[in-house]
């Protein structure tokens, strides 16, 4: 362990895992419920059992864990879900976390359906940035992909409201799937380019077990970039940090950025500095893990900060996850990805 004093005086011990990776980003799922049923995440034709309220982490429990993670090296937080804006009084959690010394970036990922109502309160509470998921600009496709027939209008209004509240430029996440929205890539790029927002096109991933993933539904990052290149010339932008998952580009004509996230075709486990907390307080050290230890149970059993810190440091030190790289090796060998994985709506993206 090396001592680190770069977080505003909080004494800390930065840990690295077995592959030399620090823990820099913490993604916190605040709820497993969702008001959408996206085909690639929690398809509508399945039954889901959601956590009873008392099993969700409380805001105070989340804040306490965040303070400990900051001491181990975390600087960036992202609230996610399920749909985080369904968590009652979410802005109160934002206010608590924004006040934690050492947190340099506080973001939230949402499907945007409730964002028009919530954007100002979130910005006032100290949220830095918001990412909104948009798979189509057409109501019929949007309604099918998100499973319950919603129109995209309320989401686009939410994005405008977020920009008006000072949460822009907004990041847009777009999962691209063959036969669904691949032909809309350039239109989606153009719509958000005009408004100065940053789209990140994501390769459809084999997260969870309910989305019937198969390789032939994946549109690769190169295929996505080719579609955009047919309309606008662009150039690569250096990654701000090695652990950024997006490959970034800038349109030559206006300097607006977009990105592609090539989890399937060009895995990036080597720099992965992310930890994830599920809504019931389990710690996952990989998006594709099948389980993780319960921090909530340790908190509720009376663990001290020192106990928890020692546990977290030891757990991170023995981390050796590199699922996407292993998946790529398996696919090259003609094998399917490993079968046991936590669902995306339980741990967030
Ligand atoms: N409900 C919020 C939303 O949709 O933005 C936050 C949670 S959602 C699980 C977080 C991100 O994961 C979304 O941007 C979503 O598009 C992405 N996602 C979900 N399933 C995915 C999959 N199979 N492949 C790639 N991205 C996925
Ligand atoms: Fe809900 Fe987000 Fe999953 Fe869609 S991707 S079902 S909006 S959690
Ligand atoms: Fe990180 Fe796991 Fe994704 Fe690799 S597969 S980048 S280790 S979350």
């Amino acid at each position: 362990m090396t001592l680190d004093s770069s977080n505003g005086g909080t004494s800390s011990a930065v840990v690295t895992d077995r592959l030399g990776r620090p823990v820099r980003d913490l993604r916190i799922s605040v709820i497993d419920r969702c008001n959408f049923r996206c085909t690639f995440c929690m398809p509508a034709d399945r039954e889901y059992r959601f956590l009873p309220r008392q099993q969700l982490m409380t805001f105070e429990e989340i804040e306490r864990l965040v303070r400990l993670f900051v001491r181990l090296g975390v600087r960036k937080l992202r609230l996610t879900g399920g749909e985080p804006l369904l968590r009652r009084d979410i802005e109160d959690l934002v206010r608590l976390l924004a006040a934690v010394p050492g947190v340099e970036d506080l973001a939230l990922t949402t499907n945007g359906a409730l964002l028009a109502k919530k954007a100002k309160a979130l910005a006032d509470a100290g949220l830095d940035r918001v990412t909104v998921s948009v798979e189509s600009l057409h109501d019929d496709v949007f309604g099918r992909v998100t499973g319950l027939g919603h129109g995209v209008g309320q989401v686009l209004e939410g994005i405008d409201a977020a920009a008006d509240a000072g949460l822009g430029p907004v990041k847009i996440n777009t999962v691209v799937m063959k036969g669904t929205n691949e032909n809309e890539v350039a239109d989606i790029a153009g719509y958000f380019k005009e408004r100065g927002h940053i789209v990140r096109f994501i390769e459809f991933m084999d997260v969870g077990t309910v989305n019937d993933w198969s390789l032939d539904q994946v549109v690769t990052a190169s295929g996505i970039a080719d579609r955009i290149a047919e309309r606008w010339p662009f150039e690569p932008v250096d990654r701000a940090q090695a652990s950024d998952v997006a490959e970034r580009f800038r349109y030559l004509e206006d300097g607006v950025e977009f990105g592609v996230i090539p989890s399937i075709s060009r895995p990036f486990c080597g720099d992965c500095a992310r930890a994830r907390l599920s809504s019931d307080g389990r710690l996952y050290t990989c998006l594709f893990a099948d389980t993780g230890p319960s921090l909530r149970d340790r908190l509720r059993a009376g663990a001290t900060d020192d106990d928890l810190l020692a546990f977290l440091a030891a757990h991170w030190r023995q981390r050796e996850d590199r699922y996407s790289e292993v998946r790529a090796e398996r696919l090259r060998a003609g094998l399917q990805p490993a079968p046991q994985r936590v669902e995306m709506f339980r741990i967030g993206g």
Side-chain angles (χ1 to χ4, degrees):
M1 282 206 282
T2 51
L3 284 179
D4 178 295
S5 58
S6 63
N7 63 348
T10 314
S11 78
S12 60
V14 169
V15 290
T16 51
D17 69 10
R18 285 199 177 154
L19 303 179
R21 301 169 296 188
V23 55
R24 287 288 176 200
D25 303 354
L26 180 64
R27 308 200 145 211
I28 305 164
S29 174
V30 294
I31 192 165
D32 55 348
R33 288 166 203 268
C34 188
N35 43 357
F36 284 4
R37 288 289 181 276
C38 300
T39 55
F40 48 81
C41 179
M42 47 189 317
D45 58 359
R46 308 249 180 166
E47 294 272 324
Y48 298 94
R49 257 201 254 141
F50 297 110
L51 295 167
R53 197 177 162 74
Q54 66 276 17
Q55 288 197 26
L56 295 177
M57 302 265 284
T58 67
F59 291 170
E60 290 68 29
E61 287 169 339
I62 293 173
E63 186 212 10
R64 187 165 161 214
L65 288 175
V66 162
R67 286 182 185 274
L68 298 175
F69 273 105
V70 165
R71 288 171 66 184
L72 294 177
V74 164
R75 296 291 173 271
K76 290 169 73 173
L77 302 179
R78 179 171 293 277
L79 302 178
T80 175
E83 174 45 44
L85 300 189
L86 289 180
R87 180 80 190 247
R88 201 184 305 157
D89 302 325
I90 182 73
E91 56 276 22
D92 292 347
L93 176 63
V94 169
R95 195 170 295 107
L96 282 178
L97 299 183
V100 173
V103 172
E104 293 168 4
D105 187 48
L106 176 56
L108 176 142
T109 304
T110 172
N111 63 30
L114 300 172
L115 190 56
K117 275 192 212 139
K118 286 277 191 180
K120 182 152 185 335
L122 291 167
D124 289 349
L127 191 71
D128 293 314
R129 298 183 298 122
V130 74
T131 298
V132 185
S133 305
V134 182
E135 269 67 45
S136 173
L137 297 172
H138 298 291
D139 280 344
D140 55 339
V141 180
F142 186 87
R144 263 202 312 280
V145 172
T146 53
L148 302 176
H150 290 273
V152 68
Q154 59 185 345
V155 175
L156 300 179
E157 279 165 27
I159 293 168
D160 291 343
D164 289 346
L167 294 170
V170 177
K171 280 196 180 150
I172 310 298
N173 276 357
T174 302
V175 178
V176 184
M177 283 168 298
K178 267 202 191 133
T180 302
N181 61 351
E182 58 179 326
N183 294 330
E184 260 196 81
V185 163
D187 289 346
I188 292 172
Y191 178 90
F192 292 110
K193 174 178 180 297
E194 228 171 79
R195 289 156 180 81
H197 300 317
I198 301 169
V199 187
R200 287 134 33 107
F201 294 97
I202 305 175
E203 291 179 347
F204 176 33
M205 294 189 284
D206 52 330
V207 206
T209 55
V210 295
N211 63 12
D212 290 332
W213 182 89
S214 71
L215 188 55
D216 54 21
Q217 291 166 279
V218 176
V219 181
T220 64
S222 312
I224 292 166
D226 288 349
R227 284 178 164 81
I228 298 174
E230 284 170 13
R231 290 224 196 142
W232 302 279
F234 55 81
E235 63 184 6
V237 177
D238 285 342
R239 290 182 193 208
Q241 281 164 342
S243 58
D244 284 352
V245 296
E247 295 178 4
R248 297 166 57 192
F249 302 94
R250 181 192 296 129
Y251 299 106
L252 296 186
E253 67 178 20
D254 55 16
V256 175
E257 280 193 27
F258 72 94
V260 291
I261 302 187
S263 169
I264 306 290
S265 63
R266 289 191 287 274
F268 35 74
C269 301
D271 293 312
C272 180
R274 291 186 170 174
R276 294 176 157 89
L277 265 182
S278 64
S279 39
D280 58 350
R282 287 186 181 278
L283 171 62
Y284 289 83
T285 54
C286 178
L287 180 55
F288 299 89
D290 60 345
T291 189
S294 174
L295 303 182
R296 183 204 61 194
D297 289 353
R298 284 172 172 77
L299 283 172
R300 292 185 186 175
T304 64
D305 281 358
D306 283 347
D307 295 339
L308 288 165
L309 205 53
F311 177 80
L312 294 177
H315 194 72
W316 190 263
R317 269 196 234 103
Q318 52 85 52
R319 173 187 190 240
E320 49 188 8
D321 302 277
R322 45 185 291 278
Y323 175 90
S324 290
E325 291 177 353
V326 172
R327 178 217 300 114
E329 289 157 16
R330 289 178 68 93
L331 290 174
R332 273 197 297 276
L335 300 169
Q336 282 301 305
Q340 295 280 316
R341 298 178 296 269
V342 64
E343 299 304 330
M344 189 74 142
F345 59 90
R346 293 208 191 286
I347 69 169

